[in-house]
Amino acid sequence: MTAPTEHDGMKVSARLPAAQPEPSPARPAPEGACVRAILGPTNTGKTHLALERMLAHESGIIGFPLRLLARENYERMVQAKGVRSVALITGEEKIIPPHARWFSCTVEAMPASPLPSGQPVDFVAVDEIQLCADPERGHIFTDRLLNARGAAETLFLGADTIAPLLKTLIPQIEIDTRPRLSALSGVGHNRLSRLPPRSAIVAFSVAEVYAIAELIRRKRGGCAVVMGQLSPRTRNAQVALYQNREVDYLVATDAIGMGLNMDIHHVAFAGLSKFDGQRHRLLSAAEVAQIAGRAGRGARDGTFGTTGTCPPLNEAMVEAVEEHRFEPLHSLWWRNSALDFASLTALHGSLCRKPPMRCLRPAEPAADMLCLHAFMQDASIKNLACTPERVRLLWEVCQIPDFRKLGEDSHIRQCAQIFTLLARRGRLPSDWLGARLHGMDSTDGDLDSLMQRLMGIRIWSYVSARSDWVENAAHWQRHTRQLEDTLSDALHERLTARFVDRRAASLARRLEEADGKPLLSAMSRSGEIIVEGHAVGHMRGFAFAPDAETARMDQPLILRAARRAARTEMPHLIARFMQAEDTELALDTETGTLSWQGENIARLRAGLSVLLPDILVKDAEFLDAGQKEKIRARLTRFVTALIRHELAPLFQAEAAVQTHPLPRGLVHGLMEHGGVAPCPLLPPLSGAEKKLLARLHILHTQDVLFCTRLLRPGAMALRRLLLGINRQTALPPLPPAGAVSIPCPAPPSAADRAAYLSLGWLYAAQTLVRLDRVAAIRMDMESLARQGAKPAPANLASRLGVTKKNLPTLLRALGIRLYPATPLPDGQPGPPAPLLILPPANAKKPGGKPARSQKNAPLSPRMASGPFAALARLRERL
């Protein structure tokens, strides 16, 4: 049963005293000393008040829940009192000047009498005293609550949920409840990409922290990361990254709930459950308030809510957090601290003693108890722990923290090795300790590897801090501190490299500061678009293309500023383009696209004729009609010059035949058909006209007229593009450059045959042969056989690029008459007949009369004997 009580005008819950109250187990304060509690929510100035009170006394000690906070407040105390008067005591670090009078400690490391004289200090304080209810560490805080007393003043700081139990355990305590300096308001659910700057996003696993940090980096430029696994140095560096406004977002575990005073405006929960070491459970309202209370600082109000996949907080919890109304604690964890070291059994028995009051619960077995229980089963350890001093040493070894969390067995084995060496040799040998630290200075590996290495070093920092345990303790303390600093710096750099894009973060911050004013933007000579000093994209031709990081930032104002710069600079860009050399422009003969400095800006399309294509300028959001016409005119000049250069023989022919009507008509046909024109019959040409066409490399064969110089690879590729664009159809691919023929086993369609012929390739006998080679072979063979049948030249197959086996078939397909070499019937003696080239059917004798049919003509004496005998016998059979 509870009832409200009043403390300085504020209500707190307090348990009504029982009819016969239980005797308090708390140590009484020295005569004339006072025991006080300053309770209230976060941002009430409790810690600041405690430090002021401590430094007002001649001596004092204050215990903090985190090594980080102990170090932070140690530095504040040094600034106030000087380095010679202030000490720092944690499990892993001890800085104790000979004449120190004020001590900053972790709660676990608080000594009973820190002064050299052994006298109690005047002032004692413990921060976050509500952690007496923490299942893992609560019994240590409860022990300080019951037993830590200052000679003049004792002060406990924490949440007012512990107020009723303070009254029960310490009846004479004075409780002062302080209001929060600023308001804390719930604002519901927000998407991660819509969280305001100066937000902290809280998750409850390393995987969630990394995933959220990666998303914040992509959307907002980056964030700082704070987790319990980080070393104090790494955590401080990450906090500084946030505090210095290099980033505007913080992704953290609930580690930020303990004393990290930062410039946080909003706290967003990415989850509402956590694993407490034994099970997953929902956060209590008080835990939500402890974390959410980091929002707002001094008199600045703060807000809290949920984000991501986390559902909104229910109204009852939001109201409780806003009004700081929480269920009071009903019990605290307790473990006996008056231990009996007579034997292992006596030690275990004293640790298992029952709590003296019903509001104190026996602590769950912690890591030190599990170690002790395992050692009690080990005969060799029991034999070594044979005196009270050895039992005490064993218990101190059991209390080495298991920072690595790799498993109980691993930690127990390590503790067993340490105790065995200490028991047998008195100290840990330097070579043994050096072997354990070997290789731990490596900064290789991912984030998890670095954190595991850091946790391992923290264990040896704790061990080396015990000067009575280690040979050359000062050396190993420096060495482990150096190792921790090196790895901490590497971890900070790795976290920053992974989760911070400084450019994007700077832009996002500038957006916040701009408050609606336009951002400064410009375009560089190379086409880079720069906003507030940061490159955010590039002009691709005449279109703006944001870079990948800018596109992912989801910041329309940045893109708007970039587009404004692009639009402003467009006239200058057009002017540079108009003055550009032709070497900066290019035409892709495969696709017909035109590019400037490697960026596509236009493409060819059908125009007035094959050699006069039109140009379509690519649409861009900043180009107006007049600017597009300028670009088209400049590209037209380029394309015209390119066509005249690549197809120069055709234009030279056009100029050369202007005074010759018949050749002029033939060349006009070539111009209209792009270099190869259908021409079944040549008109009657004079000898001079024939010589003129020959001089211009214009030939006629296979019912087509063509210019041989247009069959070179570059000209042919351009002609293929121009013909395809003019006919608005895709032409078949060209044979490889330099080839005179290629096999074509699958006969092409009639349309493809016509297309190949227009490109300068004749299909014959399952082979594509280049027209200039066809014309040359036909002329050579006609000249060879003009006086009669002649053997085919030995190099004829290689000139046509075919095998000797396929040569007769191809020659016939090209219109060359011949007698093929045919094997004699079986049993007939003699070599096979050679391949003979025969005169064309319309060939004339030297006297002007047509030659007789070669089938009935008598053979000359020369052909009737010698190598031609086989052919003669064949004719007789036919």
Side-chain angles (χ1 to χ4, degrees):
M1 181 176 180
T2 62
T5 62
E6 296 286 343
H7 292 289
D8 288 359
M10 293 190 66
K11 291 185 178 181
V12 296
S13 297
R15 188 178 301 276
L16 290 175
Q20 294 181 347
E22 298 175 275
S24 170
R27 173 184 171 185
E31 186 176 351
C34 68
V35 180
R36 298 172 57 211
I38 307 295
L39 306 180
T42 55
N43 193 28
T44 57
K46 298 186 294 291
T47 305
H48 179 73
L49 173 66
L51 287 176
E52 282 188 339
R53 293 296 307 151
M54 180 175 71
L55 297 179
H57 289 278
E58 288 296 319
S59 61
I61 184 171
I62 184 168
F64 294 98
L66 300 174
R67 175 188 174 196
L68 176 71
L69 296 177
R71 180 83 196 194
E72 178 184 308
N73 285 287
Y74 162 75
E75 292 169 358
R76 291 171 62 186
M77 292 158 60
V78 165
Q79 290 180 356
K81 293 294 184 179
V83 69
R84 296 183 178 182
S85 301
V86 180
L88 172 67
I89 305 176
T90 71
E92 301 144 71
E93 189 175 13
K94 291 180 173 59
I95 303 174
I96 309 175
H99 304 291
R101 292 187 293 158
W102 294 278
F103 300 80
S104 179
C105 314
T106 52
V107 171
E108 285 85 348
M110 289 178 69
S113 301
L115 296 177
S117 63
Q119 297 295 317
V121 292
D122 292 335
F123 177 89
V124 171
V126 179
D127 196 15
E128 304 292 357
I129 195 61
Q130 77 278 358
L131 287 179
C132 291
D134 180 71
E136 186 177 356
R137 305 168 65 200
H139 64 276
I140 300 170
F141 281 79
T142 302
D143 179 69
R144 303 299 183 260
L145 173 66
L146 299 178
N147 299 312
R149 296 292 181 268
E153 183 179 357
T154 303
L155 195 59
F156 298 110
L157 316 172
D160 55 11
T161 53
I162 199 173
L165 290 178
L166 290 181
K167 275 292 185 183
T168 300
L169 293 169
I170 311 172
Q172 76 276 15
I173 193 169
E174 300 175 12
I175 296 179
D176 177 15
T177 55
R178 299 171 69 92
R180 183 179 166 87
L181 299 176
S182 61
L184 188 62
S185 306
V187 294
H189 185 275
N190 268 322
R191 289 169 51 194
L192 271 169
S193 58
R194 293 289 182 260
L195 290 175
R198 314 311 292 165
S199 288
I201 301 98
V202 180
F204 294 93
S205 72
V206 173
E208 282 182 300
V209 167
Y210 287 169
I212 293 169
E214 189 65 41
L215 180 60
I216 295 293
R217 179 187 184 277
R218 293 200 304 267
K219 292 292 186 181
R220 296 302 185 88
C223 60
V225 172
V226 172
M227 298 181 290
Q229 295 96 320
L230 302 183
S231 67
R233 187 181 179 94
T234 304
R235 201 168 354 175
N236 280 341
Q238 288 290 302
V239 167
L241 192 69
Y242 176 85
Q243 288 295 92
N244 295 338
R245 302 211 66 175
E246 294 183 59
V247 294
D248 273 330
Y249 296 88
L250 173 72
V251 182
T253 60
D254 54 344
I256 66 167
M258 288 294 165
L260 286 181
N261 296 314
M262 301 167 63
D263 185 23
I264 297 173
H265 298 177
H266 178 75
V267 170
F269 289 86
L272 293 173
S273 65
K274 64 178 289 187
F275 183 72
D276 63 5
Q278 296 181 344
R279 61 187 176 87
H280 277 283
R281 62 173 179 80
L282 292 174
L283 299 176
S284 68
E287 289 173 318
V288 170
Q290 182 73 25
I291 300 168
R294 296 300 128 193
R297 191 176 186 186
R300 183 189 296 119
D301 295 340
T303 58
F304 67 97
T306 59
T307 191
T309 59
C310 182
L313 294 162
N314 62 64
E315 292 184 7
M317 180 172 286
V318 171
E319 185 178 344
V321 173
E322 289 178 338
E323 299 181 5
H324 315 297
R325 290 186 293 100
F326 310 110
E327 184 72 17
L329 299 175
H330 299 294
S331 61
L332 307 179
W333 296 102
W334 179 87
R335 189 171 75 183
N336 181 38
S337 59
L339 303 181
D340 184 351
F341 295 105
S343 66
L344 287 179
T345 303
L347 172 61
H348 187 267
S350 62
L351 285 166
C352 295
R353 190 171 300 165
K354 292 183 178 181
M357 297 183 71
R358 285 193 297 271
C359 62
L360 300 177
R361 298 173 61 188
E364 297 289 338
D368 52 5
M369 282 287 287
L370 295 175
C371 267
L372 178 62
H373 182 74
F375 290 160
M376 292 178 70
Q377 316 305 315
D378 188 324
S380 61
I381 297 293
K382 288 177 67 177
N383 289 338
L384 287 174
C386 54
T387 65
E389 292 76 17
R390 292 278 182 86
V391 172
R392 183 185 295 273
L393 174 63
L394 179 63
W395 178 238
E396 290 173 349
V397 171
C398 289
Q399 292 178 292
I400 296 174
D402 181 15
F403 293 116
R404 296 179 302 169
K405 306 292 183 185
L406 296 179
E408 295 172 2
D409 290 345
S410 173
H411 183 63
I412 289 170
R413 284 195 301 271
Q414 186 166 269
C415 290
Q417 291 179 357
I418 293 172
F419 172 72
T420 301
L421 282 171
L422 289 174
R424 289 177 176 171
R425 302 180 62 171
R427 304 237 176 170
L428 298 177
S430 289
D431 56 351
W432 183 87
L433 192 56
R436 299 302 177 277
L437 291 169
H438 179 70
M440 285 187 134
D441 58 345
S442 171
T443 56
D444 297 334
D446 57 14
L447 292 174
D448 292 334
S449 300
L450 286 175
M451 283 197 286
Q452 278 298 320
R453 216 169 289 144
L454 261 174
M455 296 302 101
I457 288 174
R458 289 186 67 185
I459 291 175
W460 298 115
S461 295
Y462 182 96
V463 170
S464 61
R466 293 293 304 262
S467 300
D468 54 333
W469 284 8
V470 180
E471 289 180 356
N472 197 2
H475 164 74
W476 292 112
Q477 288 165 11
R478 288 193 303 271
H479 185 58
T480 54
R481 180 62 182 273
Q482 181 183 357
L483 289 177
E484 184 176 335
D485 289 350
T486 300
L487 285 181
S488 296
D489 293 342
L491 181 56
H492 168 63
E493 290 172 4
R494 204 73 52 85
L495 285 168
T496 303
R498 178 168 173 181
F499 298 125
V500 177
D501 179 345
R502 295 183 186 275
R503 183 204 61 169
S506 173
L507 282 173
R509 183 170 60 255
R510 180 67 184 89
L511 276 175
E512 179 197 0
E513 296 169 351
D515 194 22
K517 297 177 183 177
L519 300 179
L520 298 177
S521 57
M523 184 173 69
S524 70
R525 179 77 181 176
S526 63
E528 268 190 328
I529 300 298
I530 299 171
V531 176
E532 293 292 336
H534 297 279
V536 298
H538 203 279
M539 293 301 294
R540 301 299 182 193
F542 300 102
F544 170 64
D547 63 22
E549 289 295 338
T550 302
R552 285 198 293 263
M553 281 179 65
D554 192 26
Q555 289 288 1
L557 290 179
I558 292 176
L559 296 179
R560 195 180 308 150
R563 289 189 172 93
R564 185 177 64 250
R567 183 177 292 106
T568 302
E569 293 291 331
M570 188 56 64
H572 304 291
L573 191 62
I574 297 292
R576 289 211 303 270
F577 170 73
M578 297 300 291
Q579 298 169 7
E581 299 290 338
D582 280 357
T583 53
E584 297 180 35
L585 303 174
L587 171 65
D588 188 332
T589 54
E590 284 294 326
T591 63
T593 56
L594 289 153
S595 59
W596 176 41
Q597 297 177 340
E599 301 295 340
N600 292 340
I601 58 173
R603 63 178 178 83
L604 296 184
R605 63 179 178 180
L608 296 176
S609 68
V610 174
L611 302 182
L612 291 174
D614 195 10
I615 293 173
L616 179 64
V617 177
K618 187 177 180 181
D619 285 333
E621 58 184 321
F622 309 126
L623 285 178
D624 58 31
Q627 291 169 333
K628 291 177 73 171
E629 181 57 31
K630 288 182 179 180
I631 295 170
R632 194 192 69 78
R634 175 66 182 89
L635 291 175
T636 299
R637 295 198 301 272
F638 165 73
V639 171
T640 300
L642 178 66
I643 292 174
R644 295 187 72 88
H645 177 267
E646 289 292 336
L647 308 183
L650 196 56
F651 292 94
Q652 291 168 2
E654 182 187 34
V657 298
Q658 289 301 310
T659 59
H660 304 275
L662 288 179
R664 185 171 67 242
L666 294 176
V667 172
H668 180 72
L670 286 179
M671 299 287 287
E672 285 187 333
H673 291 86
V676 178
C679 184
L681 293 173
L682 277 175
L685 299 171
S686 66
E689 290 172 333
K690 290 179 180 179
K691 289 181 180 179
L692 174 61
L693 291 179
R695 193 166 60 249
L696 296 174
H697 306 281
I698 296 174
L699 300 179
H700 179 267
T701 190
Q702 301 294 334
D703 296 335
V704 293
L705 189 72
F706 66 97
C707 178
T708 59
R709 290 192 174 183
L710 298 186
L711 302 186
R712 293 170 178 172
M716 197 180 298
L718 179 59
R719 289 176 48 248
R720 175 179 175 272
L721 171 67
L722 296 175
L723 287 168
I725 290 172
N726 183 259
R727 298 173 184 178
Q728 299 184 18
T729 184
L731 297 187
L734 289 172
V740 296
S741 69
I742 58 168
C744 193
S749 65
D752 281 352
R753 291 188 193 188
Y756 274 124
L757 190 59
S758 68
L759 294 173
W761 293 83
L762 174 69
Y763 177 76
Q766 296 186 316
T767 306
L768 284 173
V769 188
R770 207 170 67 202
L771 275 178
D772 59 339
R773 191 56 55 96
V774 172
I777 293 294
R778 290 192 64 176
M779 285 190 296
D780 289 351
M781 294 305 100
E782 287 179 8
S783 176
L784 175 69
R786 184 173 293 121
Q787 302 299 325
K790 295 293 178 63
N795 67 344
L796 192 56
S798 63
R799 287 182 66 189
L800 284 168
V802 297
T803 62
K804 290 184 177 181
K805 178 181 177 181
N806 296 332
L807 179 62
T809 306
L810 178 59
L811 290 176
R812 284 196 187 95
L814 297 180
I816 298 173
R817 299 178 67 242
L818 52 85
Y819 274 122
T822 306
L824 293 174
D826 291 343
Q828 295 293 328
L835 185 66
L836 294 179
I837 305 298
L838 301 180
N842 60 352
K844 294 182 178 181
K845 288 184 176 181
K849 295 182 179 179
R852 287 184 296 173
S853 169
Q854 293 298 316
K855 181 176 181 180
N856 300 318
L859 292 174
S860 66
R862 180 172 175 271
M863 292 185 66
S865 62
F868 300 100
L871 180 59
R873 290 193 295 273
L874 178 61
R875 282 198 63 187
E876 288 174 359
R877 290 198 301 272
L878 296 175

